[in-house]
Amino acid sequence: MAISYCDWLPSQMSSSTLTLLFVLLGTLCSFIYFFSSPNRNKNGRKLPPGPAPLPIIGNIHMLGNLPHQSLHYLAKKYGPIMSIMLGKVPTIVVSSPEAAELFLKVHDVVFASRPKVQSAKYFTYGGKALAFTQYGSYCASKVECFAPIRKSDVGLLVESVRKVAAVGETINLSLAVAKVLEEMMSKVLFGRSMDDKIDFKLLVDEALHLSGVFNLSDYVPFLAPLDLQGYTRRLKKASSGLHEFFDKMIDEYQQGINMDDQKPYRSFFQLMVSMLDTPINPNNEDQPYIFGRENIKAIMVDMVAASFDTTSTTIEWTFTELLKHPRVMVALQKELEIVVGRNRMVEESDLPKLAYLDMVIKESFRLHPVAPLLIPHESTEDVTVNRYFIPKKSRLLVNTWSMGRNPKIWSSNAEEFFPERFKDRKIDLRGHDFELIPFGTGRRGCPGMQLALVNMRIILAQLAHCFDWELPGGMLPNELDMTEKFSLSLPRANRLLVKSTYRLIA
Ligand code: HEM
């Protein structure tokens, strides 16, 4: 496995500065290592096995550009419960369903916290958006009432693809899908479309990237003032862009501008602003905690980051696999023809009858989990798991990408896209079956799962039903680029370009 240093060293640094830095680091390393060598047997208590850490940086140098893959290969050597050091932070990497169940179900309470990282400091004012579960029911219970938005926005997507198809041009499907989801989620979250003048997607992409990267400042705090990777500078810029944006929205809302209150639902943002300056804990007079602007902005940043990109990334990968496996695309279109017929578009009421579509989606999640390491958890106390000692404030990474490719779980064709494997296997996505947990599970599981699944099903079904698809320039399915790009989510590294032909009789 190639090890890449480029992600954690600044490319613009001159070689003399680097040499000086390494000499200084070397001296400091030897000094600190001498006094605080990490010990796999803490007071006779055994930590899980793992690779030997270097002084100061621990195992960060082993992560490379695609940490989920590097950790997958390391786990083959050290096992499904592995310990590594990220700087001075003890980190547990879990890579099997049995181990995931131990940490996320048996010891869920201990591992339900999130670490305090630089990205949270800047984007969410040091974690002022932490009360996610409180709002979870919002995402889940409103799925039905957003059906008209889905119908009209997915209809517009089909129209735009149809126009491009009519003139025989190539379409950037990644962008088209990302746009429709941005539109749909903006209406759900803000009650309106995004302001065209601001490239909101660019800001969100940057936020996701910076929240996903392994930032040296989080693991080796004494290096933070040097900002060696340039992430602090970028965090400041991206967070102030997002906060300005939300400040403007709160102002507009308070002045009654741009808000249409005639809708049959109340947007998430309206709900938040209606709580502005009210006490969160009205029954506690000693410690009145007021729900302020910073809380709203922090929560909105988290909601946007959690919802905009995740669904479009999954659709992008599912479509990539459908194009790579024309047999599966044909089988899906056949199911749609039987259930829906060629004379009309798909309706949401058709979705429960599309069993093969569900298998395709599960198979896509198995090979391309959007959050390959979930979102890092943190332990709140010392705990013993499977006879291993896990110290308080350990970070927990659950490698769902690795679990999805394990031949012991998925048989020898684990690397193959084969939706039929779910035919006789009762596995659902709600977190009961630890082989497949793309939405996480337990206290920190995804509260937006139901909404995300409906959005995915309707967009995928509509695109597969309304069009026949081919790759541009005579490209063969097996030539399709499958390169991943690591951030908090795991999108394709390059956009998906395709050609289509309208196939409905109307
Ligand atoms: C295909 C789409 C999606 C996938 C694959 C996905 C996956 C995930 C995962 C893996 C987590 C972390 C679980 C953990 O760390 O244990 C998470 C958290 C979260 N998701 Fe999603 N998600 C999706 C869509 C959405 C949507 C549409 C929303 C909102 C409407 C949403 C809101 C959240 C929130 C608020 C959290 C944080 C929960 C917490 O920290 O307690 N997600 N999601």
Side-chain angles (χ1 to χ4, degrees), residues 185-243:
M185 285 313 300
S186 304
K187 288 174 186 163
V188 170
L189 293 178
F190 305 115
R192 62 166 162 116
S193 306
M194 274 298 154
D195 188 343
D196 273 353
K197 284 175 243 127
I198 298 166
D199 196 341
F200 196 66
K201 174 143 177 48
L202 210 68
L203 277 176
V204 175
D205 284 352
E206 177 75 343
L208 278 175
H209 177 69
L210 294 172
S211 305
V213 289
F214 284 84
N215 183 344
L216 262 187
S217 307
D218 291 332
Y219 304 105
V220 194
F222 76 85
L223 291 178
L226 299 177
D227 189 19
L228 288 174
Q229 297 153 296
Y231 289 148
T232 311
R233 182 183 46 79
R234 284 169 67 182
L235 278 167
K236 283 182 187 164
K237 193 168 169 221
S239 58
S240 70
L242 282 168
H243 293 159

Side-chain angles (χ1 to χ4, degrees), residues 333-334 337 342 464-468 501-505:
Q333 288 181 326
K334 200 161 193 170
E337 271 178 53
R342 293 274 286 265
H465 185 54
C466 295
F467 302 95
D468 282 318
T501 321
Y502 192 66
R503 67 192 286 274
L504 295 193
I505 311 161

Side-chain angles (χ1 to χ4, degrees), residues 114 132 139 185 303 306-307 310-311 314 365 370-371 374-375 377 438-440 444-448 451-452 456:
R114 299 270 192 224
F132 271 124
C139 288
M185 285 313 300
M303 289 303 283
S307 65
T310 40
T311 315
T314 312
F365 272 131
V370 176
L374 298 184
I375 300 176
H377 291 229
F439 293 96
R444 287 303 186 151
C446 175
L451 184 59
M456 278 179 66

Side-chain angles (χ1 to χ4, degrees), residues 8-9 18-31 55-57 216 220 222-223 226 228:
W8 59 281
L9 281 182
L18 266 181
T19 314
L20 183 66
L21 195 73
F22 275 119
V23 171
L24 281 173
L25 271 180
T27 316
L28 206 60
C29 284
S30 326
F31 183 75
I56 303 207
I57 59 169
L216 262 187
V220 194
F222 76 85
L223 291 178
L226 299 177
L228 288 174

